[in-house]
Amino acid sequence: ETGVTQSPTHLIKTRGQQVTLRCSSQSGHNTVSWYQQALGQGPQFIFQYYREEENGRGNFPPRFSGLQFPNYSSELNVNALELDDSALYLCATPAGGNTGELFFGEGSRLTVL
Amino acid sequence: GENVEQHPSTLSVQEGDSAVIKCTYSDSASNYFPWYKQELGKRPQLIIDIRSNVGEKKDQRIAVTLNKTAKHFSLHITETQPEDSAVYFCAASLGGSEKLVFGKGTKLTVNP
């Protein structure tokens, strides 16, 4: 099983603040995706990074941005936080073997007050 | 863009009964359809998936069927057990990419 570690696990911010969430993969995949899961909803695709370049983006505003580093760890940054940004943010990497399966990390739960 | 509809939103069954969850998708280019199980406070975990070149796939008590013409796919769980209680999500790939569009989830409760 591919280990995907996310940090922090929980955090609380106030409206207008900025947040950075982090993700690292034990196996160092060159592809990482970020999803937002609001309470009671399915995960929604935010964007994907492949070899440090953004490779597709969902319906999220530019204040959602990301980075992928040479060691393939990744960050999700959200500026000017809004109440509706409260959600579980999930990082996912391919499980390997060209199966198409995505392996999700445990997520970072963000609460915006 | 792709849209995935999932029904029902909640499902309650007695232990030992079968459970069926249905999804429809809109993008005819979608070629990968996974099902994820998410327990409270946990990450989504893949339980079964199917590709568009296959009509049915089974893994012990879990099966998935795909009807490409009608653009719908279903999850079947037989001989349900209390530990099957969770939220189940269907998803469809955006075209042939690795990006997934998820349904809104089905909360399954298996009563002992």
Side-chain angles (χ1 to χ4, degrees):
Chain A
E1 194 171 78
T2 306
V4 177
T5 303
Q6 291 189 244
S7 63
T9 55
H10 297 81
L11 70 166
I12 299 172
K13 293 284 188 177
T14 55
R15 265 190 320 177
Q17 284 189 311
Q18 179 266 344
V19 69
T20 297
L21 308 177
R22 295 178 175 86
C23 171
S24 63
S25 169
Q26 185 177 319
S27 57
H29 279 286
N30 55 21
T31 302
V32 63
S33 301
W34 285 90
Y35 286 79
Q36 180 197 65
Q37 187 177 23
L39 197 62
Q41 301 293 317
Q44 273 196 289
F45 174 71
I46 303 174
F47 44 56
Q48 182 186 78
Y49 276 80
Y50 173 70
R51 292 186 175 179
E52 303 176 54
E53 296 287 329
E54 188 178 290
N55 179 39
R57 187 179 186 93
N59 190 26
F60 281 82
R63 59 189 184 83
F64 285 77
S65 63
L67 283 173
Q68 188 182 30
F69 299 99
N71 66 355
Y72 300 131
S73 64
S74 177
E75 284 183 359
L76 164 65
N77 299 288
V78 187
N79 294 321
L81 283 168
E82 300 177 0
L83 298 179
D84 285 350
D85 296 333
S86 296
L88 180 68
Y89 288 86
L90 295 161
C91 167
T93 63
N98 290 321
T99 61
E101 176 187 354
L102 283 185
F103 185 88
F104 286 91
E106 295 289 350
S108 294
R109 183 163 296 283
L110 171 65
T111 301
V112 183
L113 302 176
Chain B
E2 174 73 283
N3 185 46
V4 176
E5 298 283 341
Q6 182 171 349
H7 299 281
S9 55
T10 60
L11 179 60
S12 182
V13 300
Q14 288 300 121
E15 184 176 0
D17 287 350
S18 295
V20 180
I21 303 171
K22 299 183 178 182
C23 289
T24 60
Y25 62 99
S26 60
D27 184 0
S28 56
S30 295
N31 65 358
Y32 176 63
F33 307 91
W35 286 87
Y36 282 82
K37 174 183 180 182
Q38 188 174 32
E39 297 175 350
L40 194 62
K42 300 287 188 180
R43 64 182 177 87
Q45 289 189 280
L46 182 77
I47 55 171
I48 195 166
D49 55 12
I50 192 167
R51 291 205 169 270
S52 57
N53 58 347
V54 176
E56 185 174 355
K57 184 177 178 181
K58 190 173 181 181
D59 182 4
Q60 299 183 339
R61 298 185 296 110
I62 296 173
V64 57
T65 58
L66 171 65
N67 182 327
K68 280 192 302 181
T69 304
K71 293 190 195 145
H72 65 69
F73 56 115
S74 301
L75 177 71
H76 304 252
I77 306 175
T78 58
E79 300 170 26
T80 54
Q81 301 165 4
E83 51 265 39
D84 293 330
S85 296
V87 180
Y88 291 80
F89 293 97
C90 64
S93 63
L94 273 172
S97 75
E98 295 171 329
K99 307 166 187 74
L100 298 177
V101 178
F102 284 80
K104 292 190 174 181
T106 297
K107 183 178 181 181
L108 173 65
T109 303
V110 180
N111 301 300

